[in-house]
Amino acid sequence: MSRAEAAEPAEAPEPSSRIKFSSPRQIPIVGVVTEDEEVQGAFKSMDLNRVIKLFEETGKDDLEERQLKSVKKLVQCYQNGFPLRDLAQIFKILNLCAEKIKTQPHFIEPAYNIIKLCGLPFLKKKASDEITYAEDTANSIGLLGDLMKIQNSELRIQICKCIIDFYHAEPPKKHITGYQQASSSYKIKMAEVGELAKTMIQSLELLENQLVEKLWVLKALQHLSTSEVNCTLMVKAQAASGICAHLNDPDPSGQLLFRSSEILWNLLEKSSKEEIIQQLSNLKCLLALKEVFKNLFIRGVSHYDRQLRNDILVITTIISQNPGAPMIESGFTRDLILFATFNEVKSQNPLVKGLKLSNSYEDFELKKLLFNIIVILCKDLSTIQLLIDGKVILALFTYVKRPEKHKILEWSAAQYEELQLHAIATLSSVAPFLIDEYLFYKGNAQVLEFLAWCDNEDSFFSHGNSFHGAGGRGNKFAQMRYSLRLLRAMVYLENDTINKDLCENGAIQQLIGIFKNTISKYNDKEEAILLEIQSDILLILSGLCEYHIPGKEIFGTGGVDIILHVMKTDPKKIQSGLGYNVLLYSTLDSIWCCILGCYPSEDYFLEKEGIFLLLDLLALNQKKFCNLILGIMVEFCDNPKTAAHVNAWRGKKDQTAASLLIKLWRKEEKELGVKRDKYGKIVDTKKPLFTSFQEEQKIIPLPANCPTIAVMDVAENIRAKIYAVLGKLDFENLPGLSAEDFVTLCIIHRYLDFKIGEIWNEIYEEIKLEKLRPVTTDKKILESITAASENIGKMVVSLQSEMIESQACQDVQNEQKVYTKIQATHKQRELANKSWENFLARTSNAKTLKKAKRLQEKAIESSRYGERPPNAIFHRTDIKGLNATVPSGGVVTVESTPARLVGGPLADTDIALKKLPIRGGALQKVKAVKTVDEPKKSDPA
């Protein structure tokens, strides 16, 4: 601040270190400093109380001279800094000097010198002095702000310099023996406690026409505003509105605008943002901001001017978030719209005539800030006409175009790409408020054409450096993402004209094609952005087809195929956090909006096992998807072909669809706190469906158009949907159910009856609470309905008990069968063990072996015929000389066969095979010879 510093007064000459007295009769009031002590840097404290008494005296002739001399000596004594213990008395003396300035101007210089010494670090003799004298120090520093009321320029400037020195403390000139310098942050903390910032803000009101002093005060406030405590104090003193209202005051140096904007920034960052916005949301502040911004925008040429212009625009953007800010009344909104669009739309307004933005960083940031403030301004419906007059839609659509080759752009390629994405994002917020303008400029056609360019294989290298370009480096995914967001915003309006125009322009087929292409382009690097693109495509298709049957027909098999592709996603990816869950939601929404209600699409979905995929998702037991899937199942079950597919489905462990639905019912009731016993039976027949929430909530009489708790319960959980699906599948023919499932199924079967009874019970209770007495007939009807509902509950409980008993009997029978099987296994094992013991006895005891042999031979003989048939040939079934009781196997020795062909009686044994032939080479075998089993009914030889 060259001008302000130039106004700083010259430093006063340093007073002499020795004290001389004009009269020997005077009693010294200052300790004498010897030369040795001066060398060591020590000093003796003054009797400050006597100085104070001297200032309080009146009526003496030489009083003023004595007072001035005492203050001069005080300054000389404390030229290296004030001790904390003396600070309260010193500031009392300073205050007494300030009181005399109005009538005795000679006291300005002593006050000036004392204030100047306050800029030096305070001194402490003990480490505890900072805490001991904290209150005195805070009050003393707080007094500096009050001294700004003195109408003396030099004194005010010195106070500001003193405050600035708090943040740039210089070490003392000499080391004082026995004293230490207080911590550098001590003064800053004490200034916060003493509320110095508040009094400095209040002093600004006294400096309306004194520019130099005002600049010094702003410089001091700039330092003070670096603290959150000070910012809070300044806000209480209405600092924001006071400073902002004078932003446009004349100042050739430009320091006023710079320092004021810096203080406003600090206030916004370190104090209540809402309070600051409220203070700045007045006509005076906005007019000042408008004029400052306009001047900087039109006349600012330096880097500093452009940066300051952008800072002012950011502050304006923050203020514009307040709906109560008079942005339109001040004319600021119209100017901002003009500045945002003059580059794209030609304007004859003299403000922008001949004006052009450069590709500098500051102008580039300005363009983005203007786009951003338009998004905020459009939320105020009063701004809509100004946006129309300013042709904002036309200006933004100039960026929704493929880049033209060999065209000279005022922005660099990276800058243009970022502005393009920012403009499309701005359109997503603005276009829904300007539907007529959007249609007039053929917005749908332009966006679809731009999407076609995004989807083609043209060579294009995007930089992807900006926030909006994330995930789009080297491809067109970022442009595609924001274009789809724009279409989604327009489709969500459910405007028939917009949706019809999109369908006529072939949006459905184009979006399905883009979706298929994204599948082929899939890679892990851009996974998140591709999932978002796919989700947006499905949401747009849902919006176009929901109430439009021709749209569903256009969706057709191609659309069903992309839905089936998503439904086949690995279930583990749903919880990956990359957007698969959002994509699945969009897919289920597309089934509801694009397939249901179009019979060809429904049949194709069933044909491609879409119901199986739905049930697979349902079996994942993801609560967030269950409600939506069951709703789709209810609608699909209206198709007669659906039931066969549902019954044919099998999950893990051969689970059926009916079993899955009943399992979900039990889980839902458990979460809702419905009372059931350990077998799943009804506990309270009067309230068989009551949840814990319904138990806690008391019945309150409600108007007829307000749904009661019992009615809301139908929509708030999945029990009604499970009942509807099982009802359409026929309760009597559900495969794969256990006894527990059948017990639960009894409750599900009667869900509607129980719910009707529950609602009638609420009606009856409301009548009682309202102290109404129904007529006799109505009362009987109500009681009979209540009794009937309770009887149904008792009947269901009885049926459940029968099922449980039947299952118990069946379990006993099954258990008995298992025991019988176990007994047979044990008996067989005992027989095998006994046979083994007999075998061991025969092999270890010769007598036992011979006895067994005899019994065997006797048994064989007894099994033969008593008489041999005539001309019968006897064949022996055993081998002579073989001492064994085990059967010899299917071996028959045929005696009529020549021995030379078979090699003797032992030729078929392993021993015979190991012997060498007696004559003529290897052992000969005849293929025609075969083994003959021992005849069961042959005569013994």
Side-chain angles (χ1 to χ4, degrees):
M1 293 181 60
S2 58
R3 293 178 63 87
E5 289 169 356
E8 183 180 351
E11 296 288 339
E14 293 290 335
S16 174
S17 60
R18 291 185 178 273
I19 307 299
K20 296 181 180 180
F21 304 102
S22 58
S23 171
R25 297 180 63 185
Q26 286 182 316
I27 299 173
I29 59 174
V30 180
V32 179
V33 181
T34 66
E35 293 183 359
D36 294 337
E37 288 175 337
E38 182 180 10
V39 172
Q40 295 175 1
F43 64 84
K44 294 182 179 179
S45 298
M46 294 180 60
D47 189 352
L48 297 175
N49 290 325
R50 293 187 65 181
V51 177
I52 294 170
K53 287 181 180 179
L54 182 63
F55 270 85
E56 291 174 347
E57 291 179 2
T58 57
K60 294 184 180 181
D61 297 335
D62 60 344
L63 184 61
E64 180 180 347
E65 183 182 351
R66 290 170 59 195
Q67 290 172 342
L68 289 171
K69 191 173 182 179
S70 64
V71 175
K72 184 177 180 181
K73 291 177 181 179
L74 182 148
V75 170
Q76 183 182 9
C77 179
Y78 292 107
Q79 60 182 330
N80 291 317
F82 294 132
L84 291 175
R85 64 182 183 182
D86 298 337
L87 204 59
Q89 292 172 305
I90 291 171
F91 268 84
K92 188 172 182 180
I93 295 169
L94 176 61
N95 195 33
L96 291 171
C97 288
E99 291 175 356
K100 294 179 178 293
I101 286 175
K102 287 183 180 180
T103 56
Q104 298 171 293
H106 297 291
F107 283 94
I108 292 176
E109 184 178 351
Y112 177 91
N113 292 331
I114 293 174
I115 293 170
K116 185 177 179 181
L117 290 177
C118 289
L120 296 175
F122 292 149
L123 303 175
K124 59 182 179 181
K125 198 164 189 178
K126 299 178 182 178
S128 60
D129 282 358
E130 290 187 2
I131 300 173
T132 305
Y133 301 105
E135 185 178 353
D136 292 341
T137 306
N139 294 333
S140 301
I141 292 177
L143 183 64
L144 290 174
D146 295 331
L147 295 176
M148 291 294 294
K149 297 175 183 178
I150 301 173
Q151 295 182 1
N152 182 275
S153 177
E154 293 180 355
L155 200 63
R156 288 172 173 172
I157 292 173
Q158 185 56 49
I159 291 170
C160 295
K161 287 182 178 180
C162 176
I163 295 170
I164 294 169
D165 286 340
F166 290 178
Y167 298 85
H168 308 286
E170 295 181 1
K173 297 177 181 178
K174 295 180 182 179
H175 175 70
I176 309 300
T177 305
Y179 286 88
Q180 290 180 347
Q181 183 178 338
S183 60
S184 57
S185 61
Y186 183 69
K187 281 186 178 181
I188 299 173
K189 292 179 181 177
M190 292 300 101
E192 293 173 356
V193 177
E195 299 186 353
L196 177 61
K198 185 177 179 180
T199 53
M200 291 300 291
I201 285 291
Q202 293 169 349
S203 68
L204 275 176
E205 298 175 1
L206 307 173
L207 308 174
E208 290 290 336
N209 300 317
Q210 286 126 6
L211 178 61
V212 176
E213 298 168 27
K214 185 187 292 187
L215 291 176
W216 275 105
V217 172
L218 288 173
K219 186 175 181 180
L221 287 170
Q222 186 180 352
H223 285 80
L224 289 170
S225 64
T226 56
S227 159
E228 292 185 5
V229 176
N230 286 336
C231 285
T232 303
L233 293 170
M234 291 166 70
V235 170
K236 290 180 180 178
Q238 302 294 311
S241 58
I243 292 173
C244 184
H246 296 281
L247 280 176
N248 202 36
D249 287 358
D251 175 27
S253 69
Q255 293 296 312
L256 185 144
L257 179 58
F258 165 69
R259 299 204 183 280
S260 298
S261 62
E262 186 72 20
I263 294 169
L264 290 175
W265 264 114
N266 290 339
L267 290 175
L268 285 167
E269 289 178 355
K270 300 180 184 298
S271 62
S272 172
K273 190 175 180 181
E274 293 76 16
E275 180 65 26
I276 299 296
I277 293 174
Q278 199 63 38
Q279 288 187 22
L280 297 177
S281 297
N282 59 72
L283 193 59
K284 190 175 181 180
C285 290
L286 285 172
L287 285 172
L289 286 168
K290 171 191 167 185
E291 293 303 320
V292 167
F293 178 76
K294 192 190 300 183
N295 291 333
L296 291 171
F297 193 95
I298 297 171
R299 300 181 180 88
V301 291
S302 66
H303 169 81
Y304 166 78
D305 290 339
R306 291 172 179 173
Q307 194 172 29
L308 191 56
R309 172 199 63 190
N310 291 355
D311 289 344
I312 296 297
L313 183 55
V314 173
I315 294 172
T316 305
T317 303
I318 294 172
I319 298 171
S320 64
Q321 295 175 2
N322 180 15
M327 293 290 294
I328 298 175
E329 294 83 345
S330 64
F332 207 174
T333 299
R334 184 180 294 277
D335 288 347
L336 289 171
I337 293 172
L338 173 66
F339 293 142
T341 60
F342 81 95
N343 238 26
E344 294 78 21
V345 180
K346 292 183 179 180
S347 174
Q348 300 301 320
N349 194 304
L351 282 177
V352 294
K353 190 175 181 180
L355 193 62
K356 191 175 181 181
L357 296 177
S358 67
N359 62 353
S360 65
Y361 175 77
E362 289 76 21
D363 284 353
F364 174 61
E365 287 295 316
L366 171 70
K367 194 68 178 178
K368 293 194 294 181
L369 288 171
L370 288 170
F371 282 164
N372 186 56
I373 199 169
I374 285 176
V375 173
I376 297 172
L377 292 174
C378 74
K379 296 176 182 177
D380 183 2
L381 296 180
S382 306
T383 313
I384 300 302
Q385 188 58 47
L386 294 177
L387 294 173
I388 295 171
D389 296 341
K391 299 182 180 179
V392 172
I393 294 292
L394 177 60
L396 293 172
F397 263 118
T398 58
Y399 292 93
V400 189
K401 294 178 181 178
R402 66 177 69 190
E404 299 179 13
K405 295 181 180 178
H406 310 299
K407 183 180 178 180
I408 300 174
L409 297 175
E410 56 191 5
W411 306 106
S412 67
Q415 287 176 334
Y416 182 80
E417 179 192 345
E418 189 170 347
L419 288 177
Q420 182 184 58
L421 295 173
H422 206 140
I424 300 172
T426 304
L427 269 172
S428 302
S429 301
V430 176
F433 296 100
L434 305 172
I435 296 175
D436 293 337
E437 294 290 303
Y438 179 83
L439 292 172
F440 178 78
Y441 294 115
K442 297 181 180 179
N444 286 333
Q446 292 194 60
V447 176
L448 291 174
E449 183 181 354
F450 187 69
L451 272 175
W453 171 78
C454 294
D455 192 42
N456 64 27
E457 300 297 332
D458 291 351
S459 59
F460 175 77
F461 181 79
S462 62
H463 295 76
N465 296 325
S466 66
F467 167 79
H468 295 93
R473 186 172 182 81
N475 53 54
K476 307 171 191 172
F477 290 153
Q479 286 83 352
M480 184 181 291
R481 171 170 60 178
Y482 281 95
S483 301
L484 290 170
R485 285 186 184 179
L486 172 56
L487 283 182
R488 187 185 68 188
M490 301 310 295
V491 169
Y492 273 14
L493 297 174
E494 297 184 0
N495 184 287
D496 293 337
T497 307
I498 292 175
N499 291 356
K500 186 179 178 182
D501 183 56
L502 278 170
C503 292
E504 290 174 353
N505 281 286
I508 295 176
Q509 302 96 315
Q510 185 176 343
L511 290 173
I512 292 172
I514 292 173
F515 193 102
K516 291 179 179 178
N517 290 337
T518 58
I519 295 172
S520 62
K521 296 175 184 177
Y522 178 83
N523 60 75
D524 294 336
K525 193 174 180 180
E526 285 90 19
E527 185 177 18
I529 190 171
L530 284 171
L531 290 173
E532 183 182 343
I533 287 171
Q534 291 175 348
S535 300
D536 285 343
I537 288 174
L538 292 175
L539 289 172
I540 293 167
L541 291 171
S542 299
L544 293 176
C545 299
E546 186 172 7
Y547 304 111
H548 193 231
I549 297 299
K552 294 183 179 183
E553 293 173 352
I554 297 171
F555 185 81
T557 58
V560 174
D561 286 335
I562 64 174
I563 286 176
L564 293 171
H565 172 81
V566 176
M567 293 178 69
K568 292 175 183 177
T569 303
D570 184 359
K572 293 179 182 178
K573 292 184 177 180
I574 295 175
Q575 300 297 334
S576 66
L578 292 174
Y580 280 99
N581 52 349
V582 178
L583 179 60
L584 189 54
Y585 270 121
S586 305
T587 304
L588 295 174
D589 189 52
S590 297
I591 296 173
W592 191 289
C593 299
C594 303
I595 297 178
L596 288 171
C598 181
Y599 296 118
S601 297
E602 286 185 12
D603 292 344
Y604 184 74
F605 184 82
L606 293 171
E607 181 184 338
K608 293 295 183 178
E609 299 182 348
I611 288 294
F612 288 1
L613 296 174
L614 273 177
L615 289 169
D616 288 340
L617 289 174
L618 190 62
L620 295 176
N621 206 7
Q622 296 285 336
K623 188 173 179 62
K624 54 190 174 184
F625 298 123
C626 285
N627 206 349
L628 190 52
I629 293 172
L630 287 170
I632 294 170
M633 292 287 295
V634 172
E635 296 296 327
F636 250 114
C637 285
D638 288 336
N639 191 320
K641 299 177 183 178
T642 303
H645 287 262
V646 175
N647 289 327
W649 177 83
R650 292 294 181 272
K652 291 181 179 179
K653 298 181 181 179
D654 206 32
Q655 185 183 33
T656 62
S659 176
L660 172 62
L661 293 171
I662 294 171
K663 181 181 176 182
L664 289 174
W665 175 285
R666 284 198 294 268
K667 181 185 176 185
E668 184 75 4
E669 287 201 328
K670 186 177 180 181
E671 292 176 355
L672 293 172
V674 181
K675 292 181 181 178
R676 299 281 183 261
D677 66 6
K678 62 179 181 179
Y679 300 108
K681 290 167 53 179
I682 294 173
V683 174
D684 188 352
T685 55
K686 292 183 179 180
K687 302 174 181 178
L689 299 177
F690 253 46
T691 64
S692 58
F693 177 76
Q694 288 176 282
E695 291 282 358
E696 293 170 2
Q697 294 293 321
K698 295 181 180 179
I699 296 175
I700 303 172
L702 296 171
N705 59 346
C706 294
T708 62
I709 297 175
V711 175
M712 291 298 295
D713 175 72
V714 176
E716 289 176 350
N717 57 69
I718 62 175
R719 291 190 294 180
K721 292 183 176 66
I722 293 173
Y723 165 78
V725 174
L726 291 175
K728 292 181 179 182
L729 295 177
D730 188 359
F731 285 105
E732 303 299 329
N733 300 307
L734 299 175
L737 300 184
S738 63
E740 185 182 12
D741 292 338
F742 277 113
V743 170
T744 307
L745 187 62
C746 293
I747 302 173
I748 300 174
H749 194 191
R750 290 291 185 175
Y751 173 78
L752 188 59
D753 295 329
F754 290 147
K755 184 55 68 175
I756 291 171
E758 190 178 310
I759 292 170
W760 275 110
N761 183 60
E762 277 189 341
I763 295 171
Y764 196 17
E765 292 297 327
E766 285 186 19
I767 290 172
K768 290 180 181 178
L769 289 172
E770 292 178 353
K771 297 181 180 180
L772 300 174
R773 189 174 64 182
V775 297
T776 306
T777 308
D778 289 343
K779 186 176 181 180
K780 288 181 179 179
I781 293 172
L782 284 171
E783 291 174 351
S784 62
I785 291 172
T786 306
S789 177
E790 187 175 354
N791 290 335
I792 292 172
K794 291 178 180 178
M795 181 184 68
V796 170
V797 170
S798 176
L799 182 59
Q800 288 177 320
S801 299
E802 290 179 10
M803 288 182 176
I804 293 169
E805 291 174 4
S806 175
Q807 182 62 31
C809 293
Q810 184 65 38
D811 291 342
V812 171
Q813 292 177 5
N814 292 338
E815 188 177 354
Q816 190 62 43
K817 288 180 181 179
V818 172
Y819 284 145
T820 303
K821 187 176 180 180
I822 292 172
Q823 287 175 351
T825 303
H826 280 287
K827 187 173 182 181
Q828 186 67 27
R829 195 173 294 165
E830 288 174 3
L831 292 173
N833 291 337
K834 190 174 181 181
S835 175
W836 176 250
E837 290 172 0
N838 291 334
F839 176 75
L840 289 177
R842 293 197 303 272
T843 56
S844 59
N845 193 327
K847 292 182 179 180
T848 305
L849 178 61
K850 291 178 181 179
K851 183 178 178 181
K853 182 65 174 176
R854 288 195 298 271
L855 290 173
Q856 184 184 35
E857 291 175 348
K858 185 177 178 181
I860 293 172
E861 289 298 329
S862 63
S863 65
R864 292 173 176 168
Y865 290 107
E867 297 180 359
R868 184 181 298 176
N871 302 321
I873 300 173
F874 176 72
H875 300 278
R876 294 187 62 84
T877 59
D878 56 353
I879 302 172
K880 290 183 178 181
L882 186 63
N883 295 322
T885 57
V886 296
S888 57
V891 179
V892 176
T893 302
V894 183
E895 293 183 352
S896 59
T897 305
R900 65 184 181 80
L901 297 176
V902 297
L906 296 176
D908 286 339
T909 64
D910 293 336
I911 299 173
L913 292 174
K914 293 179 182 179
K915 293 180 179 179
L916 294 174
I918 298 173
R919 61 167 88 105
L923 187 65
Q924 299 179 15
K925 290 187 179 181
V926 181
K927 291 181 180 180
V929 178
K930 63 181 180 179
T931 302
V932 181
D933 291 337
E934 182 181 353
K936 294 181 181 179
K937 297 181 181 179
S938 59
D939 296 333

